[in-house]
Amino acid sequence: MKKHATLFIGLDVHKDSISVAHVADDRRAEVTYVGRIGTRVVDVDRLIRRLEDKAVSLVVAYEAGPCGYTLHRHLTSRGVACLVVAPSLIPRKPGDRVKTDRRDAVTLARLLRSGDLASVYVPSVEDEAVRDLARAREDTVVTLKAAKYRLKAFLLRLGLHYTGRADWNDAHRRYLSRVVCPTPAQQVVYQELRHAVDEQVARLARLEAELRDQAERWRLAPVVRAFQALRGVQDTVAITVAAELGDLTRFDNPRQLAAFLGLVPSEDSTGERRRLGGITKAGNGHARRVLVEGAWAYRFPAKVSPHIQKRLEGLPQNVRDIAWKAQVRLCRRFRHMLARGKNPNVVVTAIARELAAFMWAIAREVPFNA
């Protein structure tokens, strides 16, 4: 049997099964649906051996999802080209309302042959481990805020309202230790709510300590240290950005990075009319969130504080120059946009977009182990 030069394979991956379809590089060839296989390594290897008899080279694509990158790493270790594609960027017909595993696999194979699929960045195992730590910390922060809100709401319902600033400082904690509820049952509820807060605080401390420890031995540690030369970018923000985005120099220019972060305005233009809307919020939301948080630091005048000065120690002069240029520009831009009547949320989003561009410039100046 004559072998094809390339066989394009679409996989619709689920927890317990993988639907398979393939098509040859001949434009006149029809897509062939193979069927379903298991998700074990031996099942995938058996499929690859069967398809290797049909073509000289194989190209595989599957959608990014909860199953992660294990399949991608296994296929690439076998020398098979594999793309993990972004589900939101897969072209779909507006009138197509039927979705099945078979159709998805066939569609992936056909679009892979035509070159219409956009692949996502696949992190290394080490990078993904640091990213998981950063996301676990982020989830803990959300859980902690919810626990604090439930405790405050419970006390307010009982008429026990703290008159000071309830920011969980020493004075606030001393007040909480003296709280006595009207009934024993409510006292039990109160103690459980306090315990939930303390538990999340301890968990957050453990995760942050482990995150800093892992980041010191990480291949991107030099980049993380260089990022901290920027105002508003301390260890958590720097680690999160590096873990979520990996090597920023893979973007050709800052505009590509801003688009990946979803920090560029949406657009609805036709003919002579050009209409810009809010930011697209596409791409990586974790990195976008921490950049927006860090951008609030530029609402104050430019200044090298003792904390920033300590972070600058040992960094190359070119990185320091970029950080100071960023601070002067972004602080001035923040004030000017507010003076023009812009909404503070719009202003901080614009600053976050430029902050990402300065981080891209710093990443180009810092060598690290690829």
Side-chain angles (χ1 to χ4, degrees), residues 1-179:
M1 185 178 68
K2 181 182 176 181
K3 278 191 174 184
H4 300 286
T6 305
L7 195 66
F8 298 96
I9 307 165
L11 304 180
D12 189 53
V13 180
H14 294 278
K15 179 179 65 174
D16 299 319
S17 66
I18 301 176
S19 297
V20 184
H22 63 74
V23 62
D25 51 1
D26 185 357
R27 295 294 174 178
R28 295 169 297 179
E30 295 293 331
V31 182
T32 301
Y33 178 67
V34 177
R36 289 188 178 186
I37 65 170
T39 57
R40 299 175 303 171
V41 172
V42 293
D43 298 325
V44 176
D45 288 343
R46 189 182 301 117
L47 172 70
I48 296 302
R49 285 194 299 269
R50 284 171 50 195
L51 297 180
E52 282 176 340
D53 295 334
K54 298 177 179 293
V56 177
S57 64
L58 304 179
V59 182
V60 180
Y62 70 94
E63 294 183 32
C67 294
Y69 307 114
T70 304
L71 179 58
H72 173 275
R73 293 180 181 128
H74 176 67
L75 291 174
T76 52
S77 68
R78 290 200 45 159
V80 177
C82 181
L83 280 71
V84 183
V85 302
S88 60
L89 299 180
I90 297 177
R92 300 190 186 278
K93 297 178 181 178
D96 189 0
R97 301 300 177 89
V98 179
K99 185 182 185 303
T100 64
D101 295 348
R102 175 172 180 161
R103 276 178 170 243
D104 288 346
V106 168
T107 300
L108 285 172
R110 186 176 63 253
L111 293 176
L112 180 61
R113 181 180 62 178
S114 63
D116 291 328
L117 294 178
S119 61
V120 301
Y121 168 70
V122 179
S124 66
V125 175
E126 182 188 14
D127 292 356
E128 189 176 20
V130 178
R131 190 186 69 178
D132 287 339
L133 263 178
R135 290 187 178 182
R137 178 202 167 275
E138 183 180 341
D139 293 340
T140 304
V141 170
V142 173
T143 307
L144 176 59
K145 287 182 179 179
K148 288 179 177 180
Y149 176 80
R150 283 192 292 267
L151 177 57
K152 289 180 180 180
F154 177 74
L155 292 177
L156 182 61
R157 187 158 47 82
L158 298 181
L160 301 172
H161 176 55
Y162 182 61
T163 55
R165 188 173 181 179
D167 55 0
W168 303 89
N169 55 17
D170 293 340
H172 187 206
R173 290 184 179 278
R174 284 195 295 270
Y175 166 80
L176 292 175
S177 64
R178 297 193 299 267
V179 167

